[in-house]
Amino acid sequence: MLKVENVRKAYEKKVAVDNISLQVNRNEITGMLGPNGAGKTSLIRMIMDIMAPDSGRIEFSLSPERKQNNWQNMVGYLPEERGLYQQAKVKDIFAFLGGLKGLSKGESHSRGRDWLEKFELEDCFSLKIEELSKGMAQKVQFITSILHDPELLILDEPFSGLDPVSQDVMIEEIAGLAEEGMAIMLSSHRMNLVEELCDRIFFLDHGQEVLSGRLEDVKENYGNYRVKMSAANVQKMEKFIEDSALIEKHRRDKHNWQLLLTAEAGPEQFMRSLPGGMEVREISISRISLHDIFVRVARGGILHEKVS
């Protein structure tokens, strides 16, 4: 749906985006990640044609039945900075922004009401934005980004201001849009939510691609296993950790240990290495989280890797 090829953007001497290439596919959610100042906002603004790249190409592939439309009408955008008019009523916001995307007032109101119902905000239709809570306003702004049924949806920090229940509803709706065929690019610092939602990830740092690929492949290649276990025989456990070549780091709290295995070590290999007599009470083994991988990337632990 979206193809970015060798895009570069500099502000005087500072290079914000340095020769970036990526694609966002239909039926998928691509997470764009990176620390503050990594170049994410500049890249999004170029995709949205808010500003032009210095070099490179940005292309959209619309469905055949929509090729006659302006490509901007096929893109939905939820910016990180909230921009709803505080004195305007929700229904007027729907009519105005829907109209900019080619919808009639009736279509905008009808679609807006349907989405308000999904978020249990039916009573907000005639309220002013200033009368809404931060989380309610965030949902309304999300609705304005999808009123026109875009083929590509770009979401910049969509979970800002949402309580845990509202986050779950938002996750369900975003996932549903992807399942229906929409291509979605999502930028967020909520690593647990990105991990739950995204099919692919794209890490940026200092304007450069650092790591990209399908989420499961990234975790397979760069996510060591983490072991949480409880054992009654402390001395035997400490001796095992000291002698084991499979353990990279460890932390102990009384009879509980957290172990980070080496990159080469897998669950079966670790389980087979456990000696008898340790009296293991509880054990769990899982990949390290996307949060941990993000921290490694941000600290320079992974450099310029692409996973198929």
Side-chain angles (χ1 to χ4, degrees):
M1 175 61 207
L2 168 68
K3 182 179 289 186
V4 176
E5 291 185 341
N6 303 318
V7 164
R8 186 180 189 276
K9 183 67 180 179
Y11 305 100
E12 295 183 353
K13 294 183 179 181
K14 178 177 175 56
V15 178
V17 176
D18 189 5
N19 200 40
I20 291 298
S21 297
L22 66 88
Q23 66 181 40
V24 182
N25 303 319
R26 289 181 174 86
N27 292 103
E28 286 188 349
I29 302 174
T30 298
M32 187 166 65
L33 311 175
N36 293 331
K40 302 187 299 296
T41 299
S42 292
L43 182 56
I44 289 175
R45 287 176 177 171
M46 286 186 286
I47 292 170
M48 293 301 301
D49 202 28
I50 296 171
M51 61 186 185
D54 298 332
S55 60
R57 295 192 305 170
I58 298 174
E59 297 180 350
F60 298 89
S61 176
L62 302 180
S63 58
E65 64 272 17
R66 284 182 160 180
K67 279 189 177 294
Q68 71 278 10
N69 289 306
N70 187 325
W71 70 263
Q72 283 123 330
N73 287 347
M74 297 300 101
V75 179
Y77 177 39
L78 175 69
E80 181 178 6
E81 301 84 7
R82 305 304 169 231
L84 297 178
Y85 303 107
Q86 295 297 305
Q87 297 296 320
K89 293 182 179 180
V90 171
K91 62 181 181 180
D92 296 331
I93 292 285
F94 288 162
F96 173 62
L97 294 178
L100 293 178
K101 296 294 187 178
L103 299 181
S104 69
K105 182 177 180 180
E107 288 175 319
S108 299
H109 281 177
S110 176
R111 295 183 185 190
R113 282 185 182 276
D114 289 342
W115 276 100
L116 287 174
E117 185 175 348
K118 289 183 180 182
F119 287 119
E120 299 183 350
L121 296 176
E122 301 97 317
D123 297 337
C124 296
F125 185 70
S126 297
L127 295 181
K128 292 182 177 180
I129 297 300
E130 65 181 3
E131 298 177 271
L132 306 180
S133 68
K134 183 178 180 181
M136 294 162 67
Q138 173 71 348
K139 293 174 188 174
V140 169
Q141 185 145 330
F142 172 77
I143 292 171
T144 65
S145 71
I146 54 175
L147 271 181
H148 57 298
D149 188 26
E151 295 195 20
L152 171 66
L153 178 62
I154 300 176
L155 303 172
D156 197 353
E157 296 293 347
F159 309 109
S160 176
L162 300 182
D163 60 57
V165 174
S166 296
Q167 285 181 10
D168 287 346
V169 175
M170 184 72 78
I171 286 171
E172 183 178 346
E173 296 302 335
I174 293 173
L177 291 171
E179 288 176 4
E180 292 170 5
M182 195 175 291
I184 299 176
M185 173 187 282
L186 184 154
S187 178
S188 177
H189 287 108
R190 306 281 184 90
M191 291 297 107
N192 59 321
L193 303 183
V194 171
E195 190 166 5
E196 184 174 348
L197 265 174
C198 291
D199 302 287
R200 295 178 179 272
I201 58 171
F202 187 91
F203 279 96
L204 271 173
D205 194 15
H206 293 92
Q208 296 184 325
E209 175 187 338
V210 178
L211 176 65
S212 66
R214 296 195 64 83
L215 180 58
E216 61 265 31
D217 295 331
V218 169
K219 295 191 75 173
E220 177 73 22
N221 282 274
Y222 303 104
N224 304 43
Y225 283 97
R226 172 173 287 159
V227 179
K228 295 181 180 180
M229 63 184 297
S230 174
N233 193 324
V234 173
Q235 290 183 336
K236 195 150 194 172
M237 182 65 184
E238 288 181 337
K239 183 68 166 60
F240 164 69
I241 292 174
E242 182 181 347
D243 295 341
S244 177
L246 305 179
I247 300 171
E248 184 175 304
K249 296 179 181 178
H250 73 279
R251 186 170 69 236
R252 175 192 168 192
D253 179 18
K254 296 181 180 179
H255 290 270
N256 301 311
W257 282 264
Q258 289 191 35
L259 314 175
L260 179 65
L261 302 188
T262 61
E264 298 78 18
E268 292 184 7
Q269 184 182 10
F270 175 79
M271 292 299 294
R272 288 196 301 267
S273 72
L274 291 174
M278 287 202 323
E279 300 178 51
V280 176
R281 296 170 176 171
E282 187 176 350
I283 186 168
S284 65
I285 305 177
S286 61
R287 287 284 186 187
I288 64 172
S289 67
L290 184 59
H291 169 87
D292 294 319
I293 297 175
F294 177 88
V295 171
R296 286 187 176 189
V297 170
R299 291 177 176 174
I302 303 172
L303 295 176
H304 306 285
E305 298 284 354
K306 183 171 288 189
V307 183
S308 59

